[in-house]
Coordinates of all heavy atoms in Angstrom, one line a residue:
M1 N -5.8 -84.6 -81.1 CA -6.5 -85.0 -82.2 C -7.3 -86.3 -82.0 O -8.0 -86.7 -82.7 CB -5.5 -85.3 -83.4 CG -4.9 -83.9 -83.9 SD -5.3 -83.9 -85.6 CE -4.0 -82.8 -86.1
G2 N -6.9 -87.0 -81.0 CA -7.7 -88.1 -80.5 C -7.9 -89.2 -81.5 O -7.0 -89.7 -82.1
Q3 N -9.2 -89.4 -81.8 CA -9.7 -90.5 -82.7 C -9.9 -89.9 -84.1 O -10.5 -90.6 -84.9 CB -11.0 -91.0 -82.2 CG -10.8 -91.7 -80.8 CD -9.8 -92.9 -80.8 OE1 -9.8 -93.6 -81.8 NE2 -9.1 -93.1 -79.7
F4 N -9.3 -88.8 -84.4 CA -9.5 -88.2 -85.8 C -8.8 -89.1 -86.8 O -7.6 -89.4 -86.8 CB -8.8 -86.9 -85.8 CG -9.0 -86.0 -87.1 CD1 -10.2 -85.3 -87.2 CD2 -8.2 -86.1 -88.1 CE1 -10.4 -84.5 -88.3 CE2 -8.4 -85.5 -89.3 CZ -9.5 -84.6 -89.4
K5 N -9.6 -89.6 -87.8 CA -9.1 -90.4 -89.0 C -9.3 -89.7 -90.2 O -10.5 -89.5 -90.6 CB -9.7 -91.8 -88.8 CG -9.3 -92.6 -87.5 CD -9.9 -93.9 -87.6 CE -9.5 -94.6 -86.3 NZ -10.1 -95.9 -86.2
L6 N -8.3 -89.4 -90.9 CA -8.3 -88.7 -92.2 C -9.3 -89.4 -93.1 O -10.2 -88.7 -93.8 CB -7.0 -88.6 -92.8 CG -7.0 -87.6 -94.1 CD1 -7.5 -86.2 -93.7 CD2 -5.6 -87.6 -94.6
D7 N -9.3 -90.7 -93.3 CA -10.1 -91.4 -94.3 C -11.6 -91.4 -93.8 O -12.3 -91.9 -94.7 CB -9.6 -92.9 -94.4 CG -8.2 -92.9 -95.1 OD1 -7.9 -91.9 -95.9 OD2 -7.5 -93.9 -95.0
E8 N -11.9 -90.9 -92.7 CA -13.4 -90.8 -92.3 C -13.8 -89.5 -92.5 O -15.0 -89.1 -92.2 CB -13.5 -91.4 -90.9 CG -13.2 -92.8 -90.8 CD -13.3 -93.3 -89.3 OE1 -13.5 -92.5 -88.4 OE2 -13.1 -94.5 -89.1
Q9 N -13.1 -88.4 -92.9 CA -13.4 -87.1 -93.1 C -14.0 -86.8 -94.4 O -13.4 -87.0 -95.5 CB -12.2 -86.2 -92.8 CG -11.6 -86.4 -91.5 CD -12.6 -86.4 -90.3 OE1 -13.4 -85.4 -90.2 NE2 -12.6 -87.4 -89.5
I10 N -15.3 -86.3 -94.4 CA -16.0 -86.1 -95.7 C -15.4 -85.2 -96.6 O -15.3 -85.3 -97.8 CB -17.4 -85.7 -95.4 CG1 -18.2 -85.7 -96.8 CG2 -17.5 -84.3 -94.8 CD1 -18.5 -87.1 -97.3
G11 N -14.7 -84.1 -96.1 CA -14.0 -83.2 -96.9 C -12.8 -83.7 -97.6 O -12.6 -83.5 -98.8
H12 N -12.1 -84.6 -96.9 CA -11.0 -85.3 -97.5 C -11.5 -86.2 -98.7 O -10.9 -86.3 -99.7 CB -10.2 -86.1 -96.4 CG -9.1 -87.1 -97.0 ND1 -7.9 -86.5 -97.4 CD2 -9.0 -88.3 -97.0 CE1 -7.2 -87.5 -97.8 NE2 -7.8 -88.6 -97.6
L13 N -12.5 -87.0 -98.3 CA -13.0 -88.0 -99.3 C -13.6 -87.1 -100.6 O -13.4 -87.6 -101.7 CB -14.1 -88.8 -98.7 CG -13.6 -89.7 -97.6 CD1 -14.8 -90.4 -96.9 CD2 -12.6 -90.7 -98.1
L14 N -14.3 -86.1 -100.3 CA -14.8 -85.3 -101.4 C -13.6 -84.7 -102.3 O -13.7 -84.7 -103.5 CB -15.6 -84.2 -101.0 CG -17.0 -84.4 -100.5 CD1 -17.7 -83.4 -99.8 CD2 -17.9 -85.1 -101.6
R15 N -12.5 -84.3 -101.6 CA -11.3 -83.7 -102.4 C -10.7 -84.9 -103.2 O -10.4 -84.7 -104.5 CB -10.3 -83.2 -101.4 CG -9.1 -82.5 -102.1 CD -8.1 -82.1 -101.2 NE -7.5 -83.0 -100.2 CZ -6.6 -83.9 -100.6 NH1 -6.2 -84.0 -101.9 NH2 -6.1 -84.8 -99.8
L16 N -10.6 -86.0 -102.7 CA -10.1 -87.2 -103.5 C -11.0 -87.5 -104.7 O -10.5 -87.7 -105.8 CB -9.9 -88.4 -102.6 CG -8.8 -88.3 -101.5 CD1 -8.8 -89.6 -100.6 CD2 -7.4 -88.0 -102.1
A17 N -12.2 -87.5 -104.4 CA -13.2 -87.8 -105.5 C -13.1 -86.7 -106.6 O -13.2 -87.1 -107.8 CB -14.6 -88.0 -104.9
Y18 N -13.1 -85.4 -106.2 CA -13.0 -84.3 -107.2 C -11.7 -84.5 -107.9 O -11.7 -84.4 -109.1 CB -13.0 -83.0 -106.3 CG -12.7 -81.8 -107.3 CD1 -13.6 -81.3 -108.1 CD2 -11.4 -81.4 -107.2 CE1 -13.3 -80.3 -109.0 CE2 -11.1 -80.3 -108.1 CZ -12.0 -79.8 -109.0 OH -11.8 -78.8 -109.9
Q19 N -10.5 -84.8 -107.3 CA -9.4 -84.9 -108.1 C -9.3 -86.0 -109.1 O -9.0 -85.9 -110.2 CB -8.2 -85.2 -107.1 CG -7.7 -84.0 -106.3 CD -6.7 -84.2 -105.2 OE1 -6.6 -85.3 -104.7 NE2 -5.8 -83.2 -104.9
S20 N -10.0 -87.1 -108.7 CA -10.1 -88.3 -109.6 C -11.0 -88.0 -110.7 O -10.7 -88.3 -111.9 CB -10.6 -89.5 -108.8 OG -10.8 -90.6 -109.6
A21 N -12.2 -87.4 -110.5 CA -13.1 -87.0 -111.5 C -12.5 -86.0 -112.5 O -12.7 -86.1 -113.7 CB -14.4 -86.6 -110.9
S22 N -11.8 -85.0 -111.9 CA -11.2 -83.9 -112.8 C -10.2 -84.6 -113.6 O -10.0 -84.1 -114.8 CB -10.6 -82.9 -111.8 OG -11.6 -82.2 -111.2
A23 N -9.3 -85.4 -113.1 CA -8.3 -86.0 -113.9 C -8.9 -86.8 -115.0 O -8.4 -86.9 -116.1 CB -7.3 -86.8 -113.0
H24 N -10.0 -87.6 -114.7 CA -10.6 -88.4 -115.7 C -11.2 -87.6 -116.9 O -11.0 -87.9 -118.0 CB -11.7 -89.3 -115.0 CG -12.5 -90.0 -116.0 ND1 -12.1 -91.2 -116.7 CD2 -13.8 -89.8 -116.5 CE1 -13.0 -91.7 -117.5 NE2 -14.1 -90.8 -117.4
L25 N -11.8 -86.5 -116.4 CA -12.5 -85.6 -117.4 C -11.4 -84.9 -118.3 O -11.6 -84.8 -119.5 CB -13.3 -84.6 -116.8 CG -14.1 -83.6 -117.6 CD1 -15.0 -84.3 -118.7 CD2 -14.8 -82.6 -116.8
A26 N -10.3 -84.4 -117.6 CA -9.2 -83.9 -118.4 C -8.6 -84.8 -119.5 O -8.4 -84.4 -120.6 CB -8.1 -83.4 -117.4
R27 N -8.5 -86.0 -119.1 CA -8.0 -87.1 -120.1 C -9.0 -87.3 -121.2 O -8.6 -87.4 -122.4 CB -7.7 -88.5 -119.4 CG -6.5 -88.5 -118.5 CD -6.1 -90.0 -118.1 NE -7.2 -90.5 -117.4 CZ -7.4 -90.5 -116.1 NH1 -6.7 -89.7 -115.3 NH2 -8.4 -91.0 -115.4
R28 N -10.3 -87.3 -120.9 CA -11.3 -87.4 -122.0 C -11.4 -86.3 -122.9 O -11.7 -86.5 -124.1 CB -12.7 -87.7 -121.3 CG -12.8 -88.9 -120.4 CD -13.2 -90.2 -121.1 NE -14.1 -90.1 -122.2 CZ -15.5 -90.4 -122.0 NH1 -15.9 -90.7 -120.9 NH2 -16.1 -90.3 -123.1
L29 N -11.1 -85.1 -122.4 CA -11.1 -83.9 -123.2 C -9.9 -83.5 -124.0 O -9.9 -82.7 -124.8 CB -11.5 -82.7 -122.3 CG -13.0 -82.8 -121.7 CD1 -13.2 -81.6 -120.6 CD2 -14.0 -82.8 -122.7
K30 N -8.8 -84.1 -123.6 CA -7.5 -83.8 -124.2 C -7.5 -83.9 -125.7 O -7.0 -82.9 -126.4 CB -6.4 -84.7 -123.6 CG -5.0 -84.2 -124.1 CD -3.9 -85.0 -123.3 CE -2.6 -84.4 -123.7 NZ -1.6 -84.8 -122.9
P31 N -8.2 -84.9 -126.3 CA -8.2 -84.9 -127.8 C -8.8 -83.8 -128.4 O -8.7 -83.4 -129.6 CB -9.0 -86.3 -128.1 CG -8.9 -87.1 -126.9 CD -8.8 -86.1 -125.8
Y32 N -9.9 -83.1 -127.7 CA -10.6 -82.0 -128.2 C -10.0 -80.6 -127.7 O -10.5 -79.6 -128.2 CB -12.0 -82.0 -127.7 CG -12.6 -83.3 -128.0 CD1 -12.8 -84.3 -126.9 CD2 -13.2 -83.6 -129.2 CE1 -13.4 -85.5 -127.2 CE2 -13.8 -84.9 -129.5 CZ -13.9 -85.8 -128.5 OH -14.5 -87.0 -128.7
D33 N -8.8 -80.7 -127.1 CA -8.1 -79.5 -126.7 C -9.1 -78.6 -125.8 O -9.1 -77.4 -126.1 CB -7.5 -78.8 -127.8 CG -6.5 -77.7 -127.4 OD1 -5.9 -77.9 -126.3 OD2 -6.3 -76.6 -128.1
L34 N -9.8 -79.1 -124.9 CA -10.8 -78.4 -124.2 C -10.4 -78.5 -122.6 O -10.1 -79.7 -122.2 CB -12.2 -78.9 -124.3 CG -12.9 -78.4 -125.6 CD1 -14.3 -79.2 -125.7 CD2 -13.1 -76.9 -125.8
K35 N -10.7 -77.5 -121.9 CA -10.5 -77.6 -120.5 C -11.9 -78.0 -120.0 O -12.9 -77.6 -120.6 CB -10.1 -76.3 -119.9 CG -8.7 -75.7 -120.5 CD -7.5 -76.4 -119.8 CE -6.3 -75.8 -120.2 NZ -5.5 -76.6 -121.1
P36 N -11.9 -78.6 -118.7 CA -13.2 -78.9 -118.2 C -14.3 -77.7 -118.1 O -15.4 -77.9 -118.4 CB -12.9 -79.5 -116.8 CG -11.5 -80.0 -116.9 CD -10.8 -79.1 -117.8
Q37 N -13.7 -76.6 -117.7 CA -14.6 -75.4 -117.6 C -15.2 -75.1 -119.0 O -16.3 -74.6 -119.1 CB -13.9 -74.2 -117.0 CG -14.8 -73.2 -116.4 CD -15.4 -73.4 -115.2 OE1 -15.1 -74.5 -114.4 NE2 -16.3 -72.6 -114.7
Q38 N -14.4 -75.1 -120.0 CA -14.9 -74.8 -121.4 C -15.9 -75.8 -121.9 O -16.9 -75.5 -122.4 CB -13.6 -74.9 -122.4 CG -12.6 -73.8 -122.1 CD -11.4 -74.0 -122.9 OE1 -10.9 -75.1 -123.1 NE2 -10.9 -72.9 -123.5
F39 N -15.7 -77.2 -121.5 CA -16.6 -78.2 -121.8 C -17.9 -77.9 -121.1 O -19.1 -78.1 -121.7 CB -16.0 -79.6 -121.5 CG -16.9 -80.8 -121.8 CD1 -17.2 -81.0 -123.2 CD2 -17.4 -81.5 -120.8 CE1 -17.9 -82.1 -123.5 CE2 -18.1 -82.6 -121.2 CZ -18.4 -82.9 -122.4
A40 N -17.8 -77.6 -119.8 CA -19.0 -77.3 -119.1 C -19.8 -76.2 -119.7 O -21.0 -76.2 -119.8 CB -18.7 -77.0 -117.6
T41 N -19.2 -75.1 -120.1 CA -19.7 -74.0 -120.8 C -20.5 -74.5 -122.1 O -21.6 -74.0 -122.3 CB -18.8 -72.9 -121.1 OG1 -18.1 -72.5 -119.8 CG2 -19.3 -71.7 -121.8
L42 N -19.7 -75.3 -122.8 CA -20.4 -75.6 -124.0 C -21.7 -76.4 -123.8 O -22.7 -76.4 -124.5 CB -19.5 -76.4 -125.1 CG -18.3 -75.6 -125.5 CD1 -17.3 -76.6 -126.1 CD2 -18.7 -74.6 -126.5
L43 N -21.6 -77.4 -122.9 CA -22.7 -78.3 -122.5 C -23.8 -77.5 -122.0 O -25.0 -77.8 -122.4 CB -22.3 -79.3 -121.4 CG -21.5 -80.5 -122.0 CD1 -21.2 -81.4 -120.8 CD2 -22.3 -81.3 -123.0
R44 N -23.6 -76.5 -121.1 CA -24.7 -75.6 -120.6 C -25.3 -74.9 -121.6 O -26.6 -74.8 -121.7 CB -24.1 -74.8 -119.4 CG -25.1 -74.1 -118.8 CD -26.1 -74.9 -118.0 NE -25.5 -75.3 -116.7 CZ -25.9 -76.3 -116.0 NH1 -26.9 -77.0 -116.3 NH2 -25.2 -76.7 -114.9
L45 N -24.5 -74.4 -122.6 CA -25.1 -73.6 -123.7 C -26.0 -74.5 -124.6 O -27.1 -74.1 -125.1 CB -24.0 -73.0 -124.5 CG -24.4 -72.0 -125.5 CD1 -25.3 -70.8 -125.0 CD2 -23.2 -71.4 -126.2
R46 N -25.6 -75.8 -124.8 CA -26.4 -76.7 -125.5 C -27.8 -76.9 -124.8 O -28.8 -77.0 -125.5 CB -25.7 -78.0 -125.7 CG -26.5 -79.0 -126.6 CD -25.7 -80.2 -126.9 NE -25.5 -81.0 -125.8 CZ -24.8 -82.2 -125.8 NH1 -24.3 -82.7 -126.9 NH2 -24.8 -82.8 -124.7
E47 N -27.7 -77.0 -123.5 CA -28.9 -77.2 -122.7 C -29.8 -76.0 -122.8 O -31.0 -76.1 -122.9 CB -28.7 -77.4 -121.2 CG -27.9 -78.8 -121.1 CD -27.4 -78.9 -119.5 OE1 -27.6 -78.0 -118.8 OE2 -26.7 -79.9 -119.2
L48 N -29.3 -74.8 -122.7 CA -30.0 -73.6 -122.6 C -30.5 -73.1 -124.1 O -31.6 -72.4 -124.1 CB -29.2 -72.5 -122.0 CG -28.8 -72.6 -120.5 CD1 -27.8 -71.4 -120.1 CD2 -30.0 -72.5 -119.6
G49 N -29.7 -73.3 -125.0 CA -30.0 -72.7 -126.3 C -29.3 -71.3 -126.2 O -28.8 -70.9 -125.3
A50 N -29.6 -70.5 -127.4 CA -29.0 -69.2 -127.4 C -29.5 -68.4 -126.2 O -30.7 -68.5 -125.8 CB -29.6 -68.5 -128.7
T51 N -28.6 -67.9 -125.4 CA -28.9 -67.1 -124.2 C -27.9 -65.9 -124.0 O -26.9 -65.9 -124.7 CB -28.8 -68.1 -123.0 OG1 -29.4 -67.5 -121.9 CG2 -27.3 -68.5 -122.7
S52 N -28.2 -65.1 -123.1 CA -27.3 -64.0 -122.9 C -26.1 -64.5 -122.2 O -26.1 -65.5 -121.5 CB -28.0 -63.0 -121.9 OG -28.0 -63.4 -120.6
Q53 N -25.1 -63.8 -122.4 CA -23.7 -64.1 -121.9 C -23.8 -64.1 -120.3 O -23.2 -65.0 -119.7 CB -22.7 -63.1 -122.3 CG -21.3 -63.4 -122.0 CD -20.3 -62.5 -122.7 OE1 -20.1 -62.6 -123.8 NE2 -19.7 -61.5 -121.9
N54 N -24.5 -63.1 -119.7 CA -24.6 -63.1 -118.2 C -25.4 -64.4 -117.7 O -25.0 -65.0 -116.8 CB -25.3 -61.9 -117.8 CG -24.4 -60.7 -117.9 OD1 -23.2 -60.7 -118.0 ND2 -25.0 -59.6 -118.0
R55 N -26.5 -64.7 -118.4 CA -27.2 -66.0 -117.9 C -26.3 -67.3 -118.1 O -26.3 -68.1 -117.2 CB -28.4 -66.1 -118.8 CG -29.3 -67.3 -118.4 CD -30.6 -67.3 -119.0 NE -31.3 -68.5 -118.5 CZ -32.0 -69.3 -119.4 NH1 -32.0 -69.1 -120.7 NH2 -32.6 -70.3 -118.9
L56 N -25.6 -67.3 -119.2 CA -24.6 -68.4 -119.4 C -23.6 -68.4 -118.2 O -23.4 -69.5 -117.6 CB -23.9 -68.3 -120.7 CG -22.9 -69.5 -120.9 CD1 -23.5 -70.8 -121.0 CD2 -22.3 -69.1 -122.4
G57 N -23.0 -67.3 -117.8 CA -22.0 -67.3 -116.8 C -22.7 -67.7 -115.5 O -22.1 -68.5 -114.7
E58 N -23.9 -67.3 -115.2 CA -24.6 -67.7 -114.0 C -24.8 -69.3 -114.0 O -24.7 -69.9 -113.0 CB -26.0 -67.0 -113.7 CG -25.8 -65.5 -113.5 CD -27.1 -64.8 -113.6 OE1 -28.2 -65.4 -113.9 OE2 -27.1 -63.5 -113.4
A59 N -25.2 -69.7 -115.2 CA -25.6 -71.2 -115.3 C -24.3 -72.1 -115.1 O -24.5 -73.3 -114.7 CB -26.2 -71.4 -116.6
V60 N -23.1 -71.6 -115.3 CA -21.9 -72.4 -115.1 C -21.2 -71.9 -113.9 O -20.1 -72.4 -113.5 CB -21.0 -72.4 -116.4 CG1 -21.6 -73.1 -117.5 CG2 -20.6 -71.0 -116.7
G61 N -21.8 -71.0 -113.2 CA -21.2 -70.5 -111.9 C -19.8 -69.7 -112.1 O -18.9 -69.9 -111.4
M62 N -19.9 -68.8 -113.1 CA -18.7 -68.1 -113.5 C -18.9 -66.6 -113.4 O -20.0 -66.2 -113.8 CB -18.3 -68.5 -114.9 CG -16.8 -68.1 -115.2 SD -16.5 -68.8 -117.0 CE -16.6 -70.4 -116.8
P63 N -18.1 -65.9 -112.7 CA -18.2 -64.4 -112.7 C -18.3 -63.7 -114.2 O -17.7 -64.4 -115.1 CB -17.0 -63.9 -112.0 CG -16.4 -65.0 -111.2 CD -16.8 -66.2 -112.1
R64 N -18.9 -62.6 -114.3 CA -19.0 -61.9 -115.5 C -17.7 -61.8 -116.4 O -17.7 -62.0 -117.5 CB -19.6 -60.6 -115.4 CG -21.2 -60.6 -115.1 CD -21.7 -59.2 -114.9 NE -23.1 -59.3 -114.7 CZ -23.9 -58.2 -114.5 NH1 -23.4 -57.1 -114.7 NH2 -25.1 -58.4 -114.2
A65 N -16.7 -61.3 -115.6 CA -15.4 -61.1 -116.3 C -14.9 -62.4 -116.9 O -14.4 -62.4 -118.0 CB -14.4 -60.4 -115.4
N66 N -15.1 -63.5 -116.1 CA -14.5 -64.9 -116.5 C -15.3 -65.3 -117.6 O -14.7 -65.9 -118.6 CB -14.5 -65.8 -115.4 CG -13.6 -65.4 -114.3 OD1 -13.1 -64.2 -114.2 ND2 -13.2 -66.3 -113.3
I67 N -16.6 -65.2 -117.7 CA -17.4 -65.8 -118.8 C -17.2 -65.0 -120.0 O -17.1 -65.6 -121.1 CB -18.9 -65.9 -118.3 CG1 -19.7 -66.8 -119.5 CG2 -19.6 -64.5 -118.4 CD1 -19.3 -68.3 -119.4
H68 N -16.9 -63.7 -119.8 CA -16.6 -62.9 -121.1 C -15.4 -63.5 -121.7 O -15.4 -63.7 -122.9 CB -16.4 -61.4 -120.7 CG -16.1 -60.5 -121.7 ND1 -16.8 -60.1 -122.7 CD2 -14.8 -60.0 -122.0 CE1 -16.3 -59.4 -123.6 NE2 -15.0 -59.2 -123.1
K69 N -14.4 -63.7 -121.0 CA -13.0 -64.2 -121.5 C -13.3 -65.7 -122.1 O -12.7 -66.0 -123.2 CB -12.0 -64.3 -120.5 CG -11.5 -62.9 -120.0 CD -10.7 -62.3 -121.1 CE -10.2 -61.0 -120.5 NZ -9.6 -60.1 -121.5
M70 N -14.0 -66.5 -121.4 CA -14.3 -67.8 -121.9 C -15.1 -67.8 -123.3 O -14.7 -68.5 -124.2 CB -15.1 -68.6 -120.8 CG -15.5 -70.0 -121.3 SD -14.2 -71.1 -121.2 CE -14.1 -71.2 -119.4
V71 N -16.0 -66.9 -123.3 CA -16.9 -66.8 -124.6 C -15.9 -66.3 -125.6 O -16.0 -66.8 -126.8 CB -18.1 -65.8 -124.3 CG1 -18.7 -65.4 -125.6 CG2 -19.1 -66.5 -123.5
E72 N -15.0 -65.3 -125.4 CA -14.1 -64.9 -126.5 C -13.2 -66.0 -126.9 O -13.0 -66.2 -128.1 CB -13.1 -63.8 -125.8 CG -13.9 -62.4 -125.8 CD -12.9 -61.4 -125.3 OE1 -11.8 -61.7 -124.8 OE2 -13.1 -60.2 -125.4
R73 N -12.7 -66.8 -126.0 CA -11.8 -67.9 -126.4 C -12.5 -69.0 -127.2 O -12.0 -69.4 -128.2 CB -11.1 -68.6 -125.2 CG -10.0 -67.7 -124.6 CD -9.2 -68.4 -123.6 NE -10.0 -68.8 -122.4 CZ -10.1 -68.1 -121.3 NH1 -9.6 -66.9 -121.2 NH2 -10.8 -68.5 -120.3
L74 N -13.6 -69.3 -126.8 CA -14.4 -70.3 -127.5 C -15.0 -69.9 -128.9 O -15.0 -70.6 -129.9 CB -15.5 -70.8 -126.7 CG -15.2 -71.7 -125.5 CD1 -16.4 -71.9 -124.6 CD2 -14.4 -72.9 -125.8
A75 N -15.3 -68.5 -129.0 CA -15.6 -67.9 -130.2 C -14.4 -67.9 -131.3 O -14.6 -68.2 -132.4 CB -16.1 -66.5 -130.0
V76 N -13.2 -67.5 -130.8 CA -12.1 -67.6 -131.6 C -11.9 -69.0 -132.2 O -11.5 -69.1 -133.3 CB -10.8 -67.1 -130.9 CG1 -9.6 -67.4 -131.6 CG2 -10.9 -65.6 -130.6
R77 N -12.1 -70.0 -131.3 CA -12.0 -71.4 -131.9 C -13.1 -71.8 -132.7 O -13.2 -72.9 -133.3 CB -11.8 -72.3 -130.7 CG -10.6 -72.1 -129.9 CD -10.4 -73.0 -128.8 NE -10.5 -74.4 -129.2 CZ -10.5 -75.5 -128.5 NH1 -10.4 -75.4 -127.2 NH2 -10.5 -76.7 -129.0
G78 N -14.2 -71.0 -133.0 CA -15.3 -71.4 -133.8 C -16.4 -72.2 -133.2 O -17.2 -72.8 -133.8
L79 N -16.3 -72.4 -131.8 CA -17.2 -73.2 -131.1 C -18.6 -72.6 -130.8 O -19.5 -73.2 -130.5 CB -16.5 -73.8 -129.9 CG -15.3 -74.7 -130.2 CD1 -14.6 -75.2 -129.0 CD2 -15.7 -75.9 -131.2
L80 N -18.5 -71.2 -130.7 CA -19.7 -70.5 -130.4 C -19.6 -69.1 -131.1 O -18.6 -68.7 -131.6 CB -20.0 -70.4 -129.0 CG -19.0 -69.8 -128.0 CD1 -18.9 -68.3 -128.1 CD2 -19.3 -70.3 -126.6
E81 N -20.7 -68.4 -131.1 CA -20.8 -67.2 -131.8 C -21.6 -66.2 -130.9 O -22.4 -66.7 -130.0 CB -21.4 -67.3 -133.1 CG -22.9 -67.8 -133.2 CD -23.4 -68.2 -134.5 OE1 -22.6 -68.1 -135.5 OE2 -24.6 -68.5 -134.6
T82 N -21.4 -64.9 -131.0 CA -22.1 -63.9 -130.3 C -22.7 -62.9 -131.2 O -22.3 -62.7 -132.4 CB -21.3 -63.3 -129.3 OG1 -20.3 -62.5 -130.0 CG2 -20.5 -64.2 -128.2
R83 N -23.8 -62.3 -130.7 CA -24.5 -61.3 -131.5 C -25.2 -60.3 -130.5 O -25.4 -60.7 -129.3 CB -25.5 -61.8 -132.5 CG -26.5 -62.7 -131.9 CD -27.5 -63.3 -133.0 NE -28.5 -64.0 -132.4 CZ -28.5 -65.3 -132.1 NH1 -27.3 -65.9 -132.2 NH2 -29.5 -66.0 -131.5
S84 N -25.6 -59.2 -130.9 CA -26.3 -58.3 -130.1 C -27.7 -58.8 -129.9 O -28.2 -59.3 -130.9 CB -26.3 -56.9 -130.7 OG -25.0 -56.4 -130.6
D85 N -28.2 -58.7 -128.7 CA -29.7 -59.0 -128.5 C -30.5 -58.0 -129.3 O -30.5 -56.9 -129.0 CB -30.0 -59.0 -127.1 CG -31.3 -59.6 -126.7 OD1 -32.3 -59.5 -127.5 OD2 -31.5 -60.1 -125.6
P86 N -31.5 -58.5 -130.1 CA -32.3 -57.4 -130.8 C -33.2 -56.7 -130.0 O -33.6 -55.6 -130.3 CB -33.1 -58.3 -131.8 CG -32.9 -59.7 -131.4 CD -31.8 -59.8 -130.5
E87 N -33.5 -57.2 -128.7 CA -34.3 -56.5 -127.7 C -33.6 -55.5 -126.9 O -34.2 -54.7 -126.2 CB -35.1 -57.5 -126.9 CG -36.2 -58.3 -127.8 CD -36.8 -59.3 -127.0 OE1 -36.8 -59.3 -125.7 OE2 -37.4 -60.3 -127.6
D88 N -32.3 -55.8 -126.7 CA -31.4 -54.9 -125.9 C -30.0 -55.0 -126.4 O -29.3 -55.9 -126.2 CB -31.5 -55.5 -124.5 CG -30.7 -54.6 -123.5 OD1 -30.0 -53.7 -123.9 OD2 -30.9 -54.8 -122.2
A89 N -29.6 -53.9 -127.1 CA -28.3 -53.9 -127.8 C -27.1 -54.0 -126.9 O -26.1 -54.4 -127.2 CB -28.2 -52.6 -128.6
R90 N -27.4 -53.7 -125.6 CA -26.3 -53.8 -124.6 C -26.0 -55.3 -124.2 O -24.9 -55.6 -123.7 CB -26.6 -53.0 -123.3 CG -26.9 -51.6 -123.5 CD -27.5 -51.0 -122.3 NE -28.8 -51.6 -122.0 CZ -29.6 -51.5 -121.0 NH1 -29.2 -50.7 -120.1 NH2 -30.8 -52.1 -120.8
R91 N -26.9 -56.1 -124.5 CA -26.8 -57.6 -124.1 C -26.2 -58.3 -125.3 O -26.6 -58.2 -126.4 CB -28.1 -58.1 -123.8 CG -28.1 -59.5 -123.2 CD -29.5 -59.9 -122.8 NE -30.2 -58.9 -122.1 CZ -31.5 -58.9 -121.8 NH1 -32.2 -59.9 -122.3 NH2 -32.2 -57.9 -121.4
R92 N -25.3 -59.3 -125.0 CA -24.8 -60.2 -126.0 C -25.5 -61.6 -125.9 O -25.6 -62.0 -124.8 CB -23.3 -60.4 -125.7 CG -22.4 -59.1 -125.8 CD -22.3 -58.5 -127.1 NE -21.7 -59.3 -128.1 CZ -21.9 -59.1 -129.4 NH1 -22.6 -58.2 -129.9 NH2 -21.4 -59.9 -130.2
V93 N -25.8 -62.1 -127.0 CA -26.4 -63.4 -127.1 C -25.4 -64.3 -127.5 O -24.7 -64.0 -128.5 CB -27.7 -63.5 -128.1 CG1 -28.2 -64.8 -128.1 CG2 -28.8 -62.6 -127.5
V94 N -25.3 -65.5 -126.9 CA -24.2 -66.4 -127.2 C -25.0 -67.7 -127.6 O -26.0 -68.1 -127.2 CB -23.5 -66.9 -126.0 CG1 -22.3 -67.9 -126.2 CG2 -22.9 -65.6 -125.3
D95 N -24.4 -68.4 -128.8 CA -25.0 -69.6 -129.3 C -23.9 -70.5 -129.8 O -22.9 -70.0 -130.1 CB -26.0 -69.3 -130.4 CG -27.0 -70.4 -130.6 OD1 -27.0 -71.5 -129.9 OD2 -27.8 -70.2 -131.5
L96 N -24.1 -71.7 -129.8 CA -23.2 -72.7 -130.3 C -23.2 -72.6 -131.8 O -24.2 -72.5 -132.5 CB -23.6 -74.1 -129.9 CG -23.5 -74.5 -128.5 CD1 -24.1 -75.9 -128.3 CD2 -22.0 -74.5 -128.0
T97 N -22.0 -72.8 -132.4 CA -21.9 -73.1 -133.8 C -22.1 -74.5 -134.1 O -22.2 -75.3 -133.2 CB -20.5 -72.6 -134.4 OG1 -19.5 -73.5 -133.7 CG2 -20.2 -71.1 -134.2
A98 N -22.1 -74.9 -135.4 CA -22.3 -76.3 -135.7 C -21.1 -77.1 -135.2 O -21.3 -78.2 -134.6 CB -22.3 -76.4 -137.3
E99 N -19.9 -76.5 -135.3 CA -18.8 -77.3 -134.7 C -18.8 -77.3 -133.2 O -18.5 -78.4 -132.6 CB -17.4 -76.4 -135.1 CG -16.2 -77.2 -134.7 CD -14.9 -76.4 -135.1 OE1 -15.0 -75.5 -135.9 OE2 -13.9 -76.9 -134.6
G100 N -19.4 -76.3 -132.5 CA -19.5 -76.4 -131.1 C -20.6 -77.5 -130.7 O -20.5 -78.1 -129.6
R101 N -21.6 -77.6 -131.5 CA -22.6 -78.6 -131.2 C -22.0 -80.1 -131.3 O -22.3 -81.0 -130.6 CB -23.8 -78.5 -132.2 CG -24.8 -77.6 -131.7 CD -26.1 -77.7 -132.5 NE -26.3 -76.6 -133.3 CZ -26.3 -75.3 -133.0 NH1 -26.1 -74.9 -131.8 NH2 -26.6 -74.4 -134.0
A102 N -21.0 -80.1 -132.3 CA -20.5 -81.5 -132.5 C -19.5 -81.8 -131.3 O -19.4 -83.0 -130.9 CB -19.6 -81.5 -133.8

């Protein structure tokens, strides 16, 4: 291992930074009962506006099956709503509710 120093390794430093940032975000979101991934989904939807469920998943880096479950959970909580796309009934359009915007 020679001169290998853990505190000089970018991967180690990035992991520590990620852990710290994640813990900070989790503390900030606790009063809202949201997980960081749910918060990111709501923020991305606010940026995009009403969009397809698949596009939302791509925008937050989530596989189709995962974004489907995430959308379901957030819809049950009243934070977003879904509807059929008038141009393509196979596609689901996702949008924030007033509570989701808040």
